[in-house]
């Protein structure tokens, strides 16, 4: 985000043409040898209509984004000139409104490019995508480097006539510009730019070493008895020869979709231990000195601290809080401490119970970290008497999707209209397109849904890869209404006679991503820079996702969305209760695991001690095992060390806490569910990034958030009984 944007020179390169900028005078545009693309010959430039994906390819996207970026940069320069010449008053509409209008075409085109990269990876590969991304990024950062626009926005922000959404838009601009170093004097600005370049280099090296060390590890299994309980999907992923996935041999790797499932199903403790150790010693001296990330961890931490201190912050953690609802490291730690108090007590009971269970099945060792997933699966099956794969028969995709849309119609007073195949251009015959209509018949938004995996064509970065992508944002200045694309990797129908069936985890994924899409689609904020999920603080952005998922732990919802694909019957009452209870299995252990990483992330970005000393200090407070001598997990944690989640790893937990509290309102209110649903729509779904999430929460809940509802949702404390009157 803003803090990670690199300062760039105003010498901009785009394909075969160049723009030379003369900072304090004017600029000259040297036209390309070939004419720039037009709307007639490049579908990417038709940003006022829905994308025509069948006419897009990597080359069209590259030349199209170059044209749009050039138009945008020229518009920003013209706006700067207008400010300097004082041609018109510096008002919100004249400055921020024009920026919103200028950026809308490029943002819409970028949405189409992201979607194409995700769903047609064979057409838009990673190399092409990253090249286009860099060109778009350089154009976007341009406005944050403009001192005339920045000064004008400072004056606009002091204007008391701005409404809340307008203030949020201007504040976002000022903050991002400041985090990009616009207020730094020349000497410090030069150091700042150098620091960011070094930081990006260190993070790039960190990622490469993780990838290389991950790829170095593999070993073959020949013994069929070891894999007798492995699911077919895991066998296929491990098979040396795909056609012989049932006979072997099979290869164990550290790829997440293999590693995680292998620990769950491998019956041999020694193999689990060796594989666990290999995973947690990646990119460390245990592998090789050349692949070790230990020095890079310290260098990244040091550079982040330098970055923050150049901008006037004490440390990187404090700087990160500028874009978070929590607001301060102290508030984050308060949440972590509050959740840990009950989670740790529950974890102790859970591990003791699991130890007893494992011993009753002949296990004669003390449970270690590499044993938990295996014995957890066994205990869960014994306690709840069902297998995840067996539940698939009760979750045909079509019935689940229809039920989800019906629920949203009732909750939020909207309706969905599917557009027939052929009336809208899509990228594959499986893709469906829906309009969203208000209760008064007014068109609100649209979305695509692409449900099935397509190996070799659709991007798949992990086992449950799914995306809610913004194709177009709501913008009054650009006369644009929202469009999004929902992309999944569900298993397609096995045969014409059997529909596509979902695991319960996939049902949860569908609800989560749809919740995120709804926040984009139902926004009423008229500015692209604050509509939908744009400009929502990082730690609140997943609230709507988890809110929708929480409905799946209600018996009435499960009865509604389940329907056996042959008999048509829903899950039985007892099966529903077992499914809900299984969600809380080892919930304390899971929460302690997540709290540990959240705390570790904060410590790494606020303290100076050596990283290994920090994990040795924190580990005993969260984990029920002794830290293994080969476990150096920060060396391969790209999320914290080399991605955007530095000093923000806690964000997922914060969103879960908010969502649990919000969901509780549907249980304890004397209002009908539909009345509370309309209030949810008018706050969380409507206001998006146009209002601070703390204010949105108070408007909906009437108070500040509490972690108690998350305790209850995870089964860590008993739910208080409230009266709730159901009304139609």
């Amino acid at each position: 985000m803003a803090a990670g944007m690199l300062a760039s020179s105003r010498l901009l390169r785009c394909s075969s043409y160049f723009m030379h900028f003369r900072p304090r005078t004017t600029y000259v545009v040297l036209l390309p040898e070939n004419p720039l693309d037009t709307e007639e010959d490049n579908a990417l430039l038709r940003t006022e209509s829905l994308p025509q994906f069948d006419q897009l390819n990597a080359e069209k996207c590259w030349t199209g984004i170059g044209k749009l970026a050039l138009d945008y940069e020229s518009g920003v320069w013209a706006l700067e000139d207008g400010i300097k010449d004082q041609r018109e008053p510096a008002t919100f509409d004249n400055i921020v409104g024009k920026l919103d209008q200028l950026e809308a075409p490029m943002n819409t085109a970028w949405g189409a490019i992201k979607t194409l990269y995700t769903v047609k990876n064979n057409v838009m590969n990673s190399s092409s995508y990253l090249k286009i991304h860099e060109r778009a990024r350089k154009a976007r950062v341009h406005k944050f480097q403009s001192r005339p626009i920045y000064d004008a926005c400072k004056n606009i922000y002091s204007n008391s006539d701005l409404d809340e959404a307008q203030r949020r838009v201007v504040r976002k601009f000022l903050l991002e510009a400041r985090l990009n170093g616009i207020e730094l004097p020349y000497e410090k600005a030069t150091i700042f730019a150098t620091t960011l370049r070094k930081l990006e280099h260190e993070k790039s090296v960190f990622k490469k070493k993780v990838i290389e060390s991950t790829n170095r590890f593999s070993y073959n299994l020949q013994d069929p008895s070891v894999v007798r309980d492995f699911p077919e999907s895991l066998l296929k992923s491990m098979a040396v020869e795909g056609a012989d996935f049932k006979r072997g041999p099979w290869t164990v790797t550290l790829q997440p979709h293999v590693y995680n499932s292998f620990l769950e199903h491998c019956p041999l403790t020694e193999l689990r231990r060796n594989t666990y150790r290999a995973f947690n010693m990646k990119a460390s001296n245990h592998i090789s000195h050349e692949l070790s990330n230990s020095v890079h961890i310290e260098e990244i931490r040091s550079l982040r601290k330098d970055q923050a201190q150049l901008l006037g912050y004490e440390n990187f953690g404090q700087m990160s809080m500028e874009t978070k609802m929590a607001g301060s490291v102290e508030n984050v730690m308060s949440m972590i401490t509050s959740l840990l108090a009950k989670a740790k007590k529950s974890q102790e009971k859970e591990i003791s119970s699991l130890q007893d269970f494992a011993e009753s099945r002949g296990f004669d060792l003390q449970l270690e970290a590499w044993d938990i997933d295996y014995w957890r699966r066994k205990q869960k099956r014994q306690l709840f008497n069902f297998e995840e794969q067996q539940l698939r028969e009760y979750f045909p995709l079509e019935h689940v999707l229809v039920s989800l849309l019906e629920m949203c119609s009732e909750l939020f007073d909207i309706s969905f209209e599917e557009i027939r195949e052929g009336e809208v251009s899509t990228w594959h015959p499986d893709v469906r397109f829906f309009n969203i209509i208000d209760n008064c018949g007014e068109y609100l938004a649209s979305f695509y849904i692409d449900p099935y995996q397509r190996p070799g064509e659709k991007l798949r970065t992990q086992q449950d890869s799914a995306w809610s992508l913004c194709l177009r944002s709501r913008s009054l200045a650009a006369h644009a209404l929202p469009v999004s694309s929902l992309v999944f990797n569900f298993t397609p129908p096995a045969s014409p006679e059997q529909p596509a069936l979902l695991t319960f985890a996939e049902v949860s994924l569908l609800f989560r991503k749809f919740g995120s899409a709804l926040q984009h689609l139902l926004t009423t904020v008229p500015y692209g820079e604050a509509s939908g999920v744009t400009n929502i603080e990082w730690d609140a952005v997943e609230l709507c996702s988890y809110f929708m998922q929480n409905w799946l732990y209600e018996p009435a919802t499960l009865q509604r969305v389940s329907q056996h694909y042959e008999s048509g019957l829903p899950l039985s009452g007892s099966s529903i209760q077992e499914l809900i209870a299984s969600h809380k299995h080892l919930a304390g252990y899971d929460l302690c695991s997540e709290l540990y990483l959240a705390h570790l992330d904060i410590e790494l970005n606020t303290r100076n001690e050596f990283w290994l000393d920090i994990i040795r200090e924190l580990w005993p407070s969260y984990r029920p095992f002794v830290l293994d001598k080969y476990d150096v997990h920060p060396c391969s944690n790209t999320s914290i060390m080399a991605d955007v989640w530095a000093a923000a790893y806690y964000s997922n937990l914060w969103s879960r806490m908010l969502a649990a509290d919000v969901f509780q309102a549907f249980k304890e209110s004397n209002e009908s569910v539909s009345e509370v649903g309309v209030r949810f729509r008018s706050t969380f779904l409507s206001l998006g990034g146009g209002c601070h999430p703390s204010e949105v929460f108070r408007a909906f809940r009437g108070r500040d958030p509490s972690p108690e509802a998350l305790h209850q949702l995870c089964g860590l404390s008993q739910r208080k009984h409230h009266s709730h009157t159901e009304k139609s």
Side-chain angles (χ1 to χ4, degrees):
M1 293 188 71
M5 293 182 177
L6 290 173
S8 62
S9 135
R10 280 188 166 173
L11 174 61
L12 301 165
R13 297 177 177 83
C14 185
S15 191
S16 60
Y17 54 88
F18 298 91
M19 174 176 287
H20 298 283
F21 181 66
R22 298 169 184 172
R24 298 187 182 276
T25 53
T26 183
Y27 56 85
V28 178
V29 177
L30 303 181
L31 295 176
E33 295 177 7
N34 299 315
L36 292 172
D37 287 4
T38 65
E39 290 186 20
E40 287 70 31
D41 57 31
N42 191 334
L44 188 72
L45 301 180
R46 300 168 207 154
T47 56
E48 293 186 2
S49 58
L50 291 171
Q52 294 172 290
F53 289 98
D54 57 339
Q55 298 180 30
L56 295 179
N57 56 39
E59 181 61 27
K60 290 288 185 186
C61 290
W62 167 246
T63 57
I65 207 69
K67 167 68 166 59
L68 291 168
L70 185 62
D71 290 345
Y72 174 72
E73 290 158 348
S74 299
V76 170
W77 285 325
L79 188 59
E80 283 183 322
D81 289 342
I83 294 170
K84 293 174 185 176
D85 298 342
Q86 298 182 341
R87 295 173 193 162
E88 52 188 0
T91 63
F92 180 89
D93 289 339
N94 290 341
I95 305 298
V96 184
K98 285 184 178 178
L99 284 172
D100 203 45
Q101 189 173 10
L102 281 171
E103 200 160 358
M106 189 169 65
N107 286 343
T108 298
W110 179 245
I113 292 168
K114 281 194 300 183
T115 298
L116 190 68
Y117 170 63
T118 306
V119 301
K120 287 280 189 182
N121 201 236
N122 54 331
V123 172
M124 172 73 71
N125 60 32
S126 296
S127 176
S128 299
Y129 175 78
L130 291 174
K131 177 184 174 185
I132 296 169
H133 176 274
E134 180 60 14
R135 181 65 184 101
R137 186 199 66 79
K138 283 185 177 180
R140 281 202 190 97
V141 80
H142 199 61
K143 65 182 179 183
F144 300 121
Q145 299 167 339
S146 168
R147 190 72 200 207
I149 295 176
Y150 179 74
D151 289 338
C153 285
K154 285 175 73 174
N155 291 330
I156 292 169
Y157 191 68
S158 64
N159 187 342
S160 59
D161 293 336
L162 298 180
D163 63 32
E164 178 62 21
Q166 290 172 334
R167 292 189 68 80
R168 287 275 291 176
V169 172
V170 180
R171 182 190 179 278
K172 176 193 177 185
F173 175 86
L174 294 174
L175 177 61
E176 294 213 29
R178 188 162 57 81
L179 293 179
N180 273 276
I182 197 166
E183 290 191 338
L184 295 177
Y186 177 79
E187 203 170 285
K188 283 190 175 182
T190 303
I191 298 172
F192 184 73
T194 301
T195 299
L196 291 186
R197 281 196 296 271
K198 288 180 179 178
L199 180 57
E200 289 304 309
H201 173 73
E202 288 293 327
K203 291 195 294 185
S204 176
V205 172
F206 186 98
K207 289 178 182 177
K208 288 176 182 176
K209 289 189 175 183
V210 172
I211 292 171
E212 186 172 346
S213 58
T214 298
N215 293 336
R216 278 196 184 189
F217 177 87
S218 68
Y219 63 90
N220 284 349
L221 293 177
Q222 305 280 348
D223 186 354
S225 66
V226 175
V227 302
R228 65 180 181 273
D229 290 333
F230 285 20
E232 189 172 288
S233 59
L234 178 58
L235 291 175
K236 288 180 177 178
S237 297
M238 293 175 59
V240 174
E241 297 291 338
D244 293 329
F245 72 90
K246 290 186 178 180
R247 292 182 301 193
W250 305 272
T251 301
V252 180
T253 70
L254 300 181
Q255 300 301 328
H257 65 286
V258 172
Y259 170 77
N260 292 327
S261 188
F262 178 81
L263 287 190
E264 285 184 25
H265 295 90
C266 177
L268 301 183
T269 303
E270 184 178 357
L271 289 183
R272 293 197 304 268
R273 179 176 61 244
N274 291 343
T275 308
Y276 173 91
R277 282 179 167 170
F279 188 85
N280 286 284
M281 67 170 66
K282 288 184 298 183
S284 72
N285 285 321
H286 296 305
I287 302 297
S288 76
H289 180 71
E290 292 74 21
L291 283 180
S292 175
N293 269 333
S294 180
V295 172
H296 298 295
I297 290 176
E298 293 304 290
E299 186 63 21
I300 289 169
R301 294 175 66 202
S302 176
L303 288 167
R304 283 175 174 161
K305 183 178 179 181
D306 291 344
Q307 174 191 359
Q309 291 186 339
L310 281 165
L311 294 173
Y313 299 98
E314 183 179 342
N315 52 55
F316 190 84
Q318 187 186 66
M319 186 185 84
S320 173
M321 293 301 119
E322 288 276 26
T323 56
K324 310 301 184 295
M325 176 182 171
S328 71
V329 169
E330 291 74 22
N331 288 340
V332 174
M333 289 308 305
S334 177
M335 178 203 69
I336 290 174
T337 303
S338 175
L339 290 174
L340 180 63
K342 291 184 178 179
K344 192 169 183 180
K345 290 179 182 178
S346 184
Q347 176 180 240
E348 291 169 357
K349 295 176 182 177
E350 291 164 355
I351 297 302
S352 177
S353 171
L354 192 63
Q355 181 74 46
D356 292 342
F357 172 80
E359 289 175 1
S360 73
R361 299 300 191 273
F363 186 71
D364 58 0
L365 300 171
Q366 190 71 24
L367 285 174
E368 297 288 354
W370 47 82
D371 300 315
I372 299 299
D373 289 345
Y374 176 76
W375 289 109
R376 174 185 196 154
R377 180 181 64 85
K378 294 274 190 179
Q379 186 186 43
K380 189 174 181 179
R381 182 177 182 181
Q382 190 265 342
L383 287 174
F384 306 113
N385 196 32
F386 69 80
E387 282 278 5
E388 179 78 15
Q389 293 299 318
Q390 295 172 349
L391 288 176
R392 295 178 73 242
E393 297 180 357
Y394 284 90
F395 295 117
L397 172 60
E398 183 63 23
H399 177 75
V400 173
L401 179 60
V402 169
S403 299
L404 172 59
L405 298 183
E406 288 175 349
M407 282 180 57
C408 291
S409 295
E410 296 164 10
L411 280 171
F412 309 128
D413 204 16
I414 55 177
S415 60
F416 298 89
E417 173 190 51
E418 183 167 13
I419 305 304
R420 289 180 298 180
E421 185 179 349
E423 294 185 15
V424 173
S425 172
T426 65
W427 52 88
H428 191 274
D430 290 337
V431 178
R432 301 164 71 174
F433 185 86
F434 292 84
N435 289 333
I436 302 180
I437 312 297
D438 206 347
N439 60 356
C440 58
E442 180 185 356
Y443 167 77
L444 298 175
S446 301
F447 65 92
Y448 301 82
I449 182 166
D450 183 357
Y452 306 126
Q453 57 185 245
R454 293 189 294 275
E457 179 178 324
K458 186 182 281 190
L459 187 65
R460 189 170 188 179
T461 56
Q462 53 188 348
Q463 189 71 6
D464 61 353
S465 293
W467 294 267
S468 173
L469 301 171
C470 165
L471 266 170
R472 188 168 66 205
S473 296
R474 181 182 178 90
S475 171
L476 183 64
H479 308 289
L481 290 174
V483 181
S484 69
S485 51
L486 287 155
V487 181
F488 299 94
N489 273 287
F490 300 145
T491 303
S495 68
E497 295 75 33
Q498 180 177 304
L501 303 174
L502 305 182
T503 64
F504 183 66
E506 289 171 331
V507 175
S508 297
L509 187 64
L510 174 61
F511 270 62
R512 280 206 314 274
K513 294 302 177 183
F514 200 73
S516 178
L518 283 175
Q519 193 166 28
H520 173 72
L521 297 167
L522 298 184
T523 184
T524 58
V525 178
Y527 312 110
E529 285 297 291
S531 67
V533 298
T534 307
N535 198 37
I536 295 179
E537 279 67 8
W538 289 32
D539 46 5
V541 77
E542 292 295 332
L543 184 155
C544 292
S545 302
Y546 286 111
F547 166 79
M548 287 303 301
Q549 179 182 264
N550 288 345
W551 284 102
L552 289 172
Y553 304 117
E554 292 298 306
T557 305
L558 282 174
Q559 186 172 44
R560 180 174 190 166
V561 302
S562 63
Q563 183 185 73
H564 195 278
Y565 80 97
E566 289 181 329
S567 69
L569 295 175
L571 282 168
S572 67
S574 60
S575 294
I576 287 173
Q577 292 301 325
E578 287 180 342
L579 183 54
I580 293 171
S582 71
H583 157 67
K584 300 173 183 177
H585 185 234
L586 265 63
Y589 172 82
D590 290 338
L591 189 52
C592 284
S593 301
E594 197 166 355
L595 289 168
Y596 162 72
L597 289 173
H599 192 177
L600 174 64
D601 173 42
I602 292 294
E603 296 294 293
L604 288 174
N605 287 288
T606 56
R607 288 171 55 183
N608 298 323
E609 288 85 350
F610 184 52
W611 66 267
L612 188 55
D613 293 333
I614 292 176
I615 67 169
R616 286 171 175 164
E617 175 188 328
L618 294 184
W619 184 269
S621 298
Y622 293 88
R623 314 304 290 127
F625 331 101
V626 175
L627 180 66
D628 186 65
K629 62 182 178 180
Y630 296 106
D631 191 339
V632 284
H633 50 276
C635 287
S636 57
N637 192 319
T638 54
S639 295
I640 293 175
M641 297 311 309
D643 211 331
V644 297
W645 295 105
Y649 194 88
Y650 78 93
S651 295
N652 188 60
L653 270 174
W654 192 275
S655 286
R656 284 176 60 196
M657 176 187 70
L658 298 175
D661 199 335
V662 166
F663 187 73
Q664 196 72 8
F666 287 81
K667 296 175 156 301
E668 63 190 29
S669 173
N670 287 324
E671 300 171 277
S672 69
V673 168
S674 59
E675 287 173 329
V676 183
V678 169
R679 191 166 80 248
F680 182 85
R681 176 186 167 186
S682 68
T683 50
F684 290 104
L685 296 181
S686 172
L687 299 177
C691 184
H692 193 280
S694 295
E695 296 303 318
V696 179
F697 189 95
R698 291 186 194 110
F700 178 79
R701 207 70 171 99
R703 58 166 174 78
D704 288 332
S706 162
E708 181 57 31
L710 183 58
H711 287 148
Q712 294 174 12
L713 189 66
C714 295
L716 305 182
S717 63
Q718 294 300 311
R719 177 177 295 168
K720 297 176 183 177
H721 295 285
H722 297 273
S723 61
H724 183 275
T725 305
E726 280 286 351
K727 303 174 187 175
S728 59

